[in-house]
Amino acid sequence: MALFYVDGLPIGWISIMLAVLASMGGFIFGYDTGQISDILLMDDFLLRFASCGTPGVVETCKFSTVREGLIVALLSIGTLVGALLGAPTADFLGRRYAMVVECVVFMIGVLIQITAFHSWAQFAVGRLISGLGVGSLSAAVPMYQAETAPPQIRGTLTATYQLFITFGILVAYCISIGARYIDGSGSWRTVVGIGLVWPLILGIGILFMPESPRWLTAHNRYDEARTAIAVTRGIPVSEADDHFFVHRELEEMKSAVEFESKVKAGWLDCFKFERMQLYRTLLGMTLQMFQQLTGANYFFYYGATIFTSVGIEDSFVTQIILGAVNFGCTFLGMYVMERFGRRNPLIIGGIWQSIWLFVFAAAGTAKDPKTDEGIGKLMIVSACLFILGYASTWAPGIWILIGETFPTRTRSYQAALSTASNWLWNFLLAFFTPFITSAIQYRYGFVFAACNLAGAVIVYLFLYESSDLSLESVDMMYCDPTVKPWNSSTWAPAGFRSRQDLIEQARAAEMHKPLEAGGGEETRFEKAGGPAEVPARTA
C-alpha cells in the first residue's frame, strides 16, 4: 500500500526505508570522520601514540605533523581503493550483498584499531582497512538509491546519504564529549568500538530490502525486478503482473539492458568521446574534487584543534555546534536540491561559502584570535555560516549528481571514478593540512575561498540540469547537441513543448492517462540508450 502520493503517483514506504537504511553507509563514514578530530586530543590516546618529552606527562605529548597526517589520512587512501573496487563488487554481487561484504571489511578495520596498545601504525592500518569498506559503500549506496528510488523523489532520497554523513559526524562528536571523561584507554576505545554497531545495522537490515530492479533486470531476474518496482511504489505484489506502471517501467528497463548488452562496457568506455562519456566522467571527478576543496573537512577533521587555537576553552562543545549546524542544514539542502534543481543551488552555494571563508581567513590573519575574543567569535560564526551553505548545497548536491549523471551501462564505473576522486582529494587535504596550516595558518581559508568560486564557475559552464528527469532522460539530454549547460533547465526532447511538459507527460503515462497532442513519446522518451532518439554527440 502506498505511504503517500507525489503529484498523484504512489510512493511506498519501502522507498523511504531503503533510502534511510542504505544511508547508514553515509553514517558510517560520517562517524569515522567525526571521531578522529576529538580522539587526537584525548589524554590516553596522546600518551600511547604521540611523542612525549616526559613519559607519562600528557602536557609534553604531541603528534608530529607526519604522524598526525597519516593517522587521519590513511582512512582516505583506503576509501580511494575501496571506491574503485566498489563498482565491480556491486555489479558482481548485486548492490545489497556488496554492501554486506563492505560492512564486514569495515568492522575488521575497527577491531584492528581498538586492539592497538602502543603502536600508532596499527591504529593507522586499522583506519586504512576501514576505509576500504567506507569507500566501497560510498560507490554502492548512491547508485543503489538512484536506481531504486522513484524519479519523483530521487533527489531527496539520494540526499539522505549526505544527511546521514552529517548525522554520523554529530553523533561522533556527542559520544566523544562524554567518553573523554572515561579513565584510561576506555575514552578512545569506546568511541571507536561503538563504530561496530552501525555496519551491523546496515549489513543485516539491507537484506530485508529489495535489490535494485535495474540490476535484477540486467541479470534476467524479471520476476524479482517486477516485485522490487511494485514494493517501492506501494503497489501490492499480487497486482504487479497486471499493473500498468510496473509493466511499463520493467519493459523500459529491459529495452535499456538489451541495448547496453550489445555494447559491452568497461573502464575504458568511461573515457570515450561518444555520447559525452569522457565529458561526464571528467565532470563527475571534478565536482567531487571541488566538494573536497570547499574546505568543509578542514573543519571536520581538525575542528577541535582549530578552535583550541583560537582560544576556545572547550573545543569539543564548539565541534558539536558545528556538527549540529551541519546536520540541521542538510534537511534544508534536501529541500533546496529538490525544489530549485541542481545548478543554481551549487552556484549560489559556492559564492556564499567563498564569502564566509574569506571572512574566516581575514579575521584570523588580521589579529591573533587567542588574544582578541571578538575575532575568535567572528571566526566561529563565519565557520557556522560556511557550514550552513555547504550543508544546503554542495554537500548533498554532488552525491545526487553522481547517482544521476551517468548512463546505466557505465554508471557503476563512472560513479566509482568520481568517488575515488573525492577520496583522493580527501586524503591530500587530510594529510597536508597540518603542514599547510603550520606554514600559512588561517590564510589557508583564502585558498578554499578561491576554490569555492572556481567550483561555482565550473558548475555554470559544464553541469547540465538533471532535476525531475528519469535517469534515461538525463542521458538523452547530455547527448543532445542543441543543448548547453546554461540553458539545460529548459531542455526537452523532440515532441515535447518544454521540460515541464515532458514531466507532466511522463506522470500522465505512469498514471495511465491519455497523453496530450505533441506528447506521444510514451514509449520513447526514457529510452535514451537507442541511437535513434537524438543526434550522436561526441564532444
Side-chain angles (χ1 to χ4, degrees):
M1 183 176 180
L3 181 65
F4 59 90
Y5 290 80
V6 177
D7 297 317
L9 298 174
I11 305 296
W13 68 270
I14 288 289
S15 293
I16 310 302
M17 283 300 301
L18 68 85
V20 171
L21 192 58
S23 291
M24 284 301 297
F27 185 96
I28 291 168
F29 167 51
Y31 185 83
D32 219 46
T33 298
Q35 70 179 9
I36 195 63
S37 177
D38 292 333
I39 286 175
L40 289 172
L41 298 179
M42 290 182 176
D43 290 351
D44 187 79
F45 195 81
L46 285 165
L47 288 169
R48 288 174 181 271
F49 304 119
S51 298
C52 300
T54 303
V57 180
V58 70
E59 289 76 13
T60 65
C61 298
K62 184 180 180 181
F63 284 107
S64 66
T65 304
V66 173
R67 187 175 298 186
E68 181 181 22
L70 286 173
I71 289 175
V72 173
L74 273 180
L75 174 80
S76 302
I77 289 294
T79 54
L80 170 61
V81 177
L84 294 174
L85 295 175
T89 302
D91 282 346
F92 180 72
L93 297 177
R95 311 320 189 205
R96 295 184 310 149
Y97 288 117
M99 284 186 254
V100 173
V101 171
E102 290 149 9
C103 285
V104 172
V105 172
F106 177 82
M107 293 172 69
I108 292 172
V110 171
L111 290 172
I112 292 174
Q113 291 175 65
I114 61 178
T115 54
F117 285 89
H118 297 286
S119 172
W120 69 270
Q122 178 182 336
F123 189 87
V125 168
R127 283 179 59 79
L128 174 69
I129 294 174
S130 290
L132 292 173
V134 171
S136 298
L137 286 170
S138 69
V141 170
M143 183 164 52
Y144 173 72
Q145 291 173 321
E147 291 180 346
T148 310
Q152 292 75 21
I153 57 171
R154 187 180 64 234
T156 299
L157 295 189
T158 306
T160 58
Y161 180 76
Q162 176 61 33
L163 175 67
F164 271 62
I165 292 177
T166 64
F167 188 36
I169 292 172
L170 177 60
V171 170
Y173 290 162
C174 293
I175 292 175
S176 295
I177 200 172
R180 63 179 172 165
Y181 296 112
I182 300 175
D183 293 332
S185 64
S187 56
W188 59 271
R189 282 199 172 104
T190 297
V191 178
V192 176
I194 288 176
L196 292 169
V197 175
W198 323 128
L200 282 174
I201 295 173
L202 172 58
I204 296 173
I206 200 67
L207 295 175
F208 295 93
M209 295 294 108
E211 181 56 87
S212 161
R214 285 178 171 83
W215 184 86
L216 291 169
T217 302
H219 289 75
N220 300 319
R221 294 161 62 175
Y222 302 126
D223 290 340
E224 294 173 71
R226 187 180 295 108
T227 299
I229 295 170
V231 296
T232 56
R233 285 294 191 170
I235 297 169
V237 176
S238 59
E239 300 177 12
D241 289 343
D242 303 317
H243 198 282
F244 168 76
F245 169 74
V246 175
H247 177 74
R248 177 178 177 273
E249 185 162 331
L250 182 59
E251 288 304 312
E252 288 170 353
M253 290 181 186
K254 286 181 180 179
S255 297
V257 168
E258 182 181 354
F259 170 75
E260 290 157 12
S261 65
K262 297 176 183 177
V263 187
K264 294 294 183 182
W267 290 103
L268 292 179
D269 292 279
C270 302
F271 301 97
K272 292 183 177 179
F273 288 97
E274 56 262 27
R275 303 192 68 78
M276 298 283 280
Q277 289 286 65
L278 176 62
Y279 181 102
R280 285 188 268 183
T281 299
L282 295 179
L283 177 61
M285 296 176 69
T286 301
L287 290 175
Q288 286 282 29
M289 176 186 75
F290 274 104
Q291 190 195 54
Q292 287 298 316
L293 290 174
T294 57
N297 280 343
Y298 170 55
F299 295 102
F300 296 142
Y301 280 139
Y302 296 103
T305 305
I306 292 168
F307 291 118
T308 297
S309 70
V310 302
I312 303 300
E313 292 184 4
D314 195 341
S315 60
F316 285 69
V317 174
T318 307
Q319 281 284 83
I320 288 180
I321 294 172
L322 270 186
V325 171
N326 187 33
F327 177 59
C329 291
T330 304
F331 285 99
L332 173 63
M334 295 170 70
Y335 170 77
V336 167
M337 299 306 295
E338 198 70 65
R339 174 66 178 81
F340 300 104
R342 318 300 190 230
R343 281 173 49 86
N344 289 337
L346 292 178
I347 293 170
I348 295 171
I351 296 171
W352 171 274
Q353 291 154 205
S354 180
I355 291 171
W356 291 109
L357 282 168
F358 270 118
V359 172
F360 178 89
T365 303
K367 292 186 178 181
D368 185 356
K370 288 185 177 180
T371 59
D372 191 313
E373 184 178 349
I375 287 293
K377 290 180 178 178
L378 175 60
M379 293 176 72
I380 293 174
V381 170
S382 59
C384 287
L385 290 172
F386 160 77
I387 294 296
L388 183 152
Y390 173 77
S392 302
T393 56
W394 277 79
I398 302 306
W399 290 111
I400 293 172
L401 288 166
I402 294 307
E404 66 187 21
T405 300
F406 310 121
T408 302
R409 74 187 188 92
T410 54
R411 182 175 299 125
S412 61
Y413 298 103
Q414 288 169 299
L417 288 168
S418 300
T419 306
S421 172
N422 181 294
W423 296 122
L424 172 62
W425 284 92
N426 188 303
F427 165 76
L428 293 173
L429 290 172
F431 182 75
F432 288 108
T433 286
F435 297 93
I436 296 171
T437 52
S438 65
I440 63 175
Q441 297 181 326
Y442 299 111
R443 289 190 291 275
Y444 198 18
F446 291 129
V447 176
F448 289 127
C451 289
N452 276 275
L453 288 178
V457 173
I458 293 292
V459 169
Y460 177 78
L461 293 176
F462 299 105
L463 179 66
Y464 288 70
E465 181 56 69
S466 53
S467 62
D468 292 316
L469 295 176
S470 70
L471 299 181
E472 289 77 15
S473 293
V474 172
D475 188 41
M476 280 179 82
M477 176 177 63
Y478 272 94
C479 295
D480 189 339
T482 65
V483 66
K484 302 297 180 184
W486 45 88
N487 62 19
S488 58
S489 61
T490 61
W491 173 86
F496 293 90
R497 292 187 293 270
S498 64
R499 169 74 66 92
Q500 188 58 37
D501 181 46
L502 181 150
I503 296 168
E504 291 175 357
Q505 296 296 339
R507 290 170 179 166
E510 290 178 354
M511 297 176 70
H512 206 180
K513 292 180 178 179
L515 299 177
E516 297 176 6
E521 306 282 337
E522 177 183 351
T523 62
R524 181 192 67 82
F525 87 98
E526 281 196 344
K527 296 178 184 177
E533 283 86 7
V534 294
R537 187 173 191 172
T538 59

